[in-house]
Amino acid sequence: SHKAGAEQEAGSRKQEAGFLPTAYCTVSNVFAVSRPRLFIPLLLVAAACTSTVEPPFPQDTVEVVTVLDGDSLVVRIDGGERDVRLLGINTPERDECFSDEARAATRDLVGPTVRLAGNDDDQFGRLLRYVYTDGGVLVNQQLIAGGFALAPSNEHALLDDFKAEEASAFANRLGLWEGSACGPATSAALTVSDLRPDAPGDDSQNPNGEWVEVANEGSRTVELSGWALRDESSRHRFRFPAGFELEAGERVRVLSGCGDDGNDKLYWCDGDAIWNNGGDTAYLLDASGNVVARRAF
């Protein structure tokens, strides 16, 4: 299926050959989160970074005017202000769990000035950019590594690196992937057991040919009121019907099109195909908004 989300359309354009970084600063264990406030030990960044990006590392700095949210900011260029959308990441939307933490992480990372790399604009006129600190830390990457952002499957030069960072952050349950990041953790043993992203024929004409499957691998029935499924975009969300239960050992498929819900089949009925055939991730969220399981392809 073809994503209609703005970040998918904007990010799908490959970066021009003028910027293909051959090295960039990789920082492990940069982020430490302590509630009720966020703490990012930036000294660890300086200590861990032993190299910066080789040419064509951007030489010019721009002033940061403000950080709008986790994946966008405003900078001053040539006397005017421009919105910048961080390339290759999605942070939680402003009305979603962990959005405040993501914004704080970006604000603490960028400092008063940054360096921008890239050439494309999105459909809203924002600059799509890799954002580097003056010390060479790639902010986009570090937000993923710290668990403040996910890495959508939009084609760009560092896609594989970003995907690896998300998988590592999830495996280590960092940031938004932590089991109680958005509220009390669930004890339910649910997984995203299967996913068919590519329906036979034209996806838009056969939305029920694509589906995602959730399995209850635990020993008790789980009531799924308030639970949700989402993809990598900012627009596709499915909420399980109130009172829906998944018995131990059972599975339920959520089809992208419309139909009559049953015990083993539910219908997203979004009016569009959901899954991006070129790569996507299904996330299962509990009633608090915690990410319980994910399945990437």
Side-chain angles (χ1 to χ4, degrees):
S1 62
H2 176 68
K3 287 289 183 65
E7 68 280 5
Q8 189 76 18
E9 295 178 5
S12 63
R13 296 189 292 273
K14 185 180 292 186
Q15 293 294 292
E16 297 178 10
F19 178 72
L20 289 175
T22 57
Y24 53 92
C25 184
T26 300
V27 184
S28 300
N29 302 319
V30 171
F31 296 96
V33 178
S34 60
R35 293 183 176 80
R37 67 185 182 88
L38 177 72
F39 171 66
I40 302 179
L42 292 178
L43 290 178
L44 288 180
V45 175
C49 292
T50 58
S51 65
T52 56
V53 175
E54 299 294 334
F57 176 65
Q59 298 301 312
D60 295 332
T61 61
V62 296
E63 178 188 351
V64 176
V65 177
T66 189
V67 174
L68 298 174
D69 53 32
D71 53 29
S72 59
L73 52 109
V74 179
V75 299
R76 183 166 287 113
I77 300 177
D78 298 328
E81 294 185 358
R82 293 293 304 273
D83 287 3
V84 176
R85 177 64 164 82
L86 274 68
L87 177 63
I89 73 170
N90 275 341
T91 59
E93 299 300 308
R94 297 182 192 183
D95 60 346
E96 293 181 328
C97 162
F98 228 72
S99 61
D100 291 342
E101 289 88 341
R103 181 175 182 271
T106 301
R107 185 178 60 243
D108 289 347
L109 269 171
V110 296
T113 61
V114 293
R115 302 168 188 254
L116 305 178
N119 301 293
D120 290 334
D121 296 357
D122 71 8
Q123 66 203 70
F124 304 109
R126 299 178 298 183
L127 305 175
L128 283 170
R129 297 292 187 266
Y130 295 118
V131 177
Y132 291 87
T133 68
D134 286 341
V137 174
L138 179 54
V139 175
N140 315 49
Q141 180 203 13
Q142 296 311 317
L143 290 170
I144 302 170
F148 296 98
L150 56 87
S153 303
N154 307 330
E155 188 178 6
H156 62 95
L158 299 179
L159 175 60
D160 290 344
D161 300 275
F162 284 15
K163 282 293 188 182
E165 293 287 9
E166 182 186 319
S168 176
F170 180 81
N172 290 291
R173 288 296 183 174
L174 300 178
L176 65 90
W177 310 119
E178 199 266 320
S180 58
C182 300
T186 181
S187 60
L190 268 61
T191 65
V192 181
S193 53
D194 202 358
L195 179 62
R196 179 194 278 179
D198 191 3
D202 185 340
D203 290 6
S204 64
Q205 299 300 315
N206 183 24
N208 284 333
E210 61 170 44
W211 44 261
V212 58
E213 184 177 81
V214 175
N216 183 355
E217 298 181 352
S219 59
R220 62 179 179 85
T221 297
V222 179
E223 206 268 329
L224 293 179
S225 295
W227 285 59
L229 284 162
R230 60 163 292 180
D231 66 351
E232 294 175 352
S233 77
S234 61
R235 61 179 296 262
H236 291 133
R237 303 290 187 270
F238 170 82
R239 295 206 172 271
F240 286 84
F244 182 83
E245 295 183 340
L246 189 60
E247 296 182 358
E250 295 299 316
R251 300 167 184 260
V252 59
R253 284 184 179 177
V254 180
L255 286 71
S256 296
C258 299
D260 296 325
D261 291 340
N263 292 329
D264 60 351
K265 287 183 181 179
L266 298 172
Y267 294 87
W268 202 303
C269 203
D270 187 62
D272 189 14
I274 304 298
W275 307 106
N276 179 16
N277 295 344
D280 212 331
T281 307
Y283 302 92
L284 177 65
L285 284 63
D286 67 16
S288 296
N290 302 309
V291 179
V292 174
R294 69 190 281 276
R295 189 180 185 93
F297 69 92

